[in-house]
C-alpha cells in the first residue's frame, strides 16, 4: 500500500513564525498536490507540482517537489492566523487517482 | 471556475435506513468522480472511483454492497449508504476531474443515530 506520511501531525505556532511541513513516501508519483481544508468543508487545492526538483511559490507559501518525486515540502513564511487549517498532500497514482497524506493540522495563534 | 456541488451538506438518519448523497459537476462534464471518506481529525481515504456509464471501482476494504455508487450522467454521481449504522457516521467528500484539475465538493456530514 502506498503511503504518504506527513510531519508534523500537529503544529501550533505564534503569528509571524515560519514553518515547514513535510510529505514523504517510498513511492514515486507523477504529480503531487497540496490542499488546505477548513473544518466541515472540502479540501481546496493550493498547488500542483509535477517536475522533480520543482519549486513553486504562492505568496508566503513555498512548495518543493523532491528530485526523485517521492517527497515534497511546504514552507510558510510569517504565518498568520488565516493560515490555520488542515494541510494535506496528495500523490497522483495515475489517472488522477490521488492518495492523500496523513495530514498536518496547523494552528497559528495571534 | 469549475464547481462541484454536493448535497446534502448534513444528514442525520436512524440506524438501518439508507442515505443518498449527490455529487454534481456544475459547469463541466466529468466522466470520472471520486468518493472519499474522512473521519474526525484524519485525512481523506479514497473509497471508490465512479465511472460514467460503468460500474464503480472500489478500493480494498470498501464494501460495494454497503456503499452503492451510480454515475448515470456526465454531471452526476450518487453514493448511497445502505442500512446505515453508527459506525458509518463520517464526512463524505466527492471530487470530479475538470481540465487536469481535481475539484472537491464541500462534503456531506452523515450522522447515524
Amino acid at each position: 500500500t502506498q503511503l504518504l506520511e506527513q510531519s508534523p501531525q500537529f503544529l501550533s505556532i505564534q503569528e509571524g513564525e515560519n514553518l515547514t511541513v513535510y510529505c514523504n513516501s517510498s513511492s514515486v508519483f507523477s504529480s503531487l498536490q497540496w490542499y488546505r481544508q477548513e473544518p466541515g468543508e472540502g479540501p481546496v487545492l493550493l498547488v500542483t507540482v509535477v517536475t522533480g526538483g520543482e519549486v513553486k511559490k504562492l505568496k508566503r507559501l513555498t512548495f518543493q517537489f523532491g528530485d526523485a518525486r517521492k517527497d515534497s515540502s511546504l514552507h510558510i513564511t510569517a504565518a498568520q492566523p488565516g493560515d490555520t487549517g488542515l494541510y494535506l498532500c496528495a500523490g497522483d497514482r495515475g489517472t488522477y487517482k490521488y492518495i492523500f497524506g496523513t495530514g498536518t493540522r496547523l494552528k497559528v495563534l495571534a | 471556475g469549475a464547481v462541484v456541488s454536493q448535497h446534502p451538506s448534513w444528514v442525520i438518519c436512524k440506524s438501518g435506513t439508507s442515505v443518498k448523497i449527490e455529487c454534481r459537476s456544475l459547469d463541466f462534464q466529468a466522466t470520472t468522480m471520486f468518493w472519499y471518506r474522512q473521519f474526525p481529525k484524519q485525512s481523506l481515504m479514497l473509497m471508490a472511483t465512479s465511472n460514467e456509464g460503468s460500474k464503480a471501482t472500489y478500493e480494498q476494504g470498501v464494501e460495494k454492497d454497503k456503499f452503492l455508487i451510480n454515475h448515470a450522467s456526465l454531471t452526476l454521481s450518487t453514493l448511497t449508504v445502505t442500512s446505515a449504522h453508527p459506525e458509518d457516521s463520517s464526512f463524505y467528500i466527492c471530487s470530479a476531474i475538470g481540465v487536469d484539475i481535481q475539484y472537491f465538493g464541500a462534503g456531506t456530514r452523515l450522522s447515524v443515530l
Side-chain angles (χ1 to χ4, degrees):
Chain A
T1 304
Q2 293 171 304
L3 292 175
L4 271 171
E5 296 284 342
Q6 284 183 237
S7 62
Q9 289 185 23
F10 305 96
L11 191 56
S12 181
I13 60 173
Q14 292 292 125
E15 181 177 6
E17 292 184 4
N18 303 331
L19 67 117
T20 302
V21 177
Y22 299 94
C23 174
N24 295 299
S25 174
S26 58
S27 302
V28 176
F29 294 100
S30 57
S31 68
L32 190 140
Q33 298 185 328
W34 283 93
Y35 292 84
R36 187 171 78 197
Q37 185 182 23
E38 305 286 343
E41 298 181 11
V44 175
L45 178 66
L46 296 175
V47 77
T48 300
V49 286
V50 179
T51 307
E54 182 177 5
V55 177
K56 281 191 174 180
K57 291 192 175 184
L58 182 65
K59 297 183 180 179
R60 294 177 293 102
L61 278 60
T62 302
F63 305 85
Q64 185 165 8
F65 202 10
D67 291 340
R69 290 185 288 128
K70 293 182 179 181
D71 53 82
S72 181
S73 64
L74 157 61
H75 182 80
I76 301 179
T77 304
Q80 299 176 1
D83 296 327
T84 294
L86 176 66
Y87 288 82
L88 297 161
C89 62
D92 186 359
R93 293 192 286 176
T95 59
Y96 302 106
K97 200 170 183 178
Y98 285 89
I99 178 171
F100 277 79
T102 49
T104 295
R105 194 165 297 277
L106 171 65
K107 186 170 186 177
V108 182
L109 304 171
Chain B
V3 177
V4 172
S5 173
Q6 207 172 322
H7 178 80
S9 57
W10 186 37
V11 57
I12 301 174
C13 69
K14 292 183 178 180
S15 185
T17 61
S18 295
V19 175
K20 180 184 284 187
I21 303 170
E22 293 185 349
C23 180
R24 294 180 185 272
S25 56
L26 295 185
D27 55 3
F28 65 99
Q29 294 183 333
T31 56
T32 302
M33 293 184 176
F34 299 97
W35 287 96
Y36 293 85
R37 183 173 182 176
Q38 186 177 31
F39 290 105
K41 300 187 178 182
Q42 293 188 24
S43 186
L44 278 69
M45 183 189 74
L46 180 64
M47 297 175 66
T49 304
S50 174
N51 305 297
E52 188 270 334
S54 64
K55 290 184 178 180
T57 305
Y58 291 82
E59 294 298 302
Q60 191 174 10
V62 178
E63 300 175 59
K64 61 180 180 181
D65 295 330
K66 173 76 172 175
F67 300 99
L68 299 178
I69 292 173
N70 185 281
H71 195 153
S73 77
L74 287 171
T75 59
L76 174 64
S77 174
T78 61
L79 168 68
T80 301
V81 183
T82 62
S83 187
H85 291 285
E87 58 265 29
D88 298 323
S89 298
S90 188
F91 194 53
Y92 293 88
I93 306 174
C94 71
S95 72
I97 305 300
V99 181
D100 294 333
I101 295 177
Q102 181 174 211
Y103 297 95
F104 282 87
T108 296
R109 183 160 303 282
L110 171 63
S111 297
V112 184
L113 305 178

